[in-house]
């Protein structure tokens, strides 16, 4: 009875500890063997290691950077290009003079409109007094020389690159409209097909006569 009221005999407790230690050793040995059999990854099943971890180990070399694409942009002297172009009218060429200092009234944009290896050039000529567009042109590189592939001098006009297409905006006036307040605009998209620009369906935007109102788009008939 006295043996039931106190802790168990020390020899019995030591035997249990020995059994636990032996089981732990066998388990550890089995896990080590399994790891060796799977190339050292053990029980990993979440996929390859993160790239940063691999790079830190120095086992995998960083990929060599790919060569950059050829430079498509080539700056042009827009004023000289227009002055030397026989397709530009004499009336527009007369406006090609500085508005102040050496600043000419021309806007220039570069982008891919025709699939040329060199970016196409869109040039708009404006008036100095009120920045009204009097001519819009597109030049395409042809064996190192920029050639005129589009021209419109139906003022007021402005051309721009819109999502890889040429977009031409022509404002129109109704009777009684002051020069500063046209009645609306007609926007025509152009696509490059068969070595020329082909117009798509135009959209007519009628300007609101109320201040702060956005123009109302109306399909052009």
């Amino acid at each position: 009875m006295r043996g039931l009221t106190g802790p168990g005999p020390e020899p019995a407790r030591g035997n249990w500890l020995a059994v636990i230690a032996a089981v732990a050793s066998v388990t550890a040995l089995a896990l080590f063997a399994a790891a060796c059999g799977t190339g050292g990854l053990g029980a990993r099943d979440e996929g390859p290691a993160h790239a940063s971890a691999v790079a830190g180990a120095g086992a995998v070399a960083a990929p060599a950077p790919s060569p950059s694409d050829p430079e498509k942009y080539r700056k042009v002297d827009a004023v000289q290009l227009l002055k030397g172009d026989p397709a530009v009218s004499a009336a527009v060429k007369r406006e090609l003079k500085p508005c102040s200092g050496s600043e000419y009234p021309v806007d220039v944009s570069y982008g891919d409109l025709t699939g040329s290896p060199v970016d196409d050039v869109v040039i708009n000529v404006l008036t100095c007094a009120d920045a009204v567009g009097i001519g819009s042109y597109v030049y395409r590189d042809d064996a190192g020389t920029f050639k005129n592939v589009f021209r419109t001098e139906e003022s007021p006009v402005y051309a721009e690159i819109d999502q890889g297409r040429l977009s031409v905006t022509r404002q129109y006036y109704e009777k009684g409209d002051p020069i500063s307040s046209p009645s609306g605009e007609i926007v025509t998209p152009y696509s490059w097909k068969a070595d020329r620009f082909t117009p798509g369906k135009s959209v007519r935007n009628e300007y609101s006569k109320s201040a702060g109102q956005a123009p109302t788009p109306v399909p052009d008939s």
Side-chain angles (χ1 to χ4, degrees), residues 6 34 46 56 80 165 178 197:
E46 71 274 18
Q80 292 304 316
R165 291 195 302 179
F197 281 105

Side-chain angles (χ1 to χ4, degrees), residues 68-74 117-119:
S68 59
D69 294 334
E71 184 61 63
K72 295 188 64 177
Y73 165 78
R74 191 168 88 235
V118 178
D119 278 344

Side-chain angles (χ1 to χ4, degrees), residues 92-117:
V92 170
K93 289 181 178 179
R94 282 195 296 269
E95 296 294 331
L96 286 174
K97 53 188 177 182
C99 296
S100 61
S102 59
E103 295 296 326
Y104 284 81
V106 294
D107 288 346
V108 186
S109 301
Y110 299 84
D112 185 6
L113 290 171
T114 68
S116 171

Side-chain angles (χ1 to χ4, degrees), residues 6 10 33 52 56 67-69 81 83 86 142 146 193:
E10 288 297 324
S52 60
S68 59
D69 294 334
L81 191 59
K83 286 183 175 180
D142 183 6
F146 281 102
K193 297 178 181 178

Side-chain angles (χ1 to χ4, degrees), residues 82-89 93 151:
L82 292 169
K83 286 183 175 180
D85 184 0
V88 178
S89 69
K93 289 181 178 179
R151 178 193 67 151

Side-chain angles (χ1 to χ4, degrees), residues 86-89 136-138 148-153 170:
V88 178
S89 69
S136 299
Y137 313 87
V138 178
N148 191 322
V149 292
F150 180 87
R151 178 193 67 151
T152 177
E153 295 175 345
R170 297 178 177 87

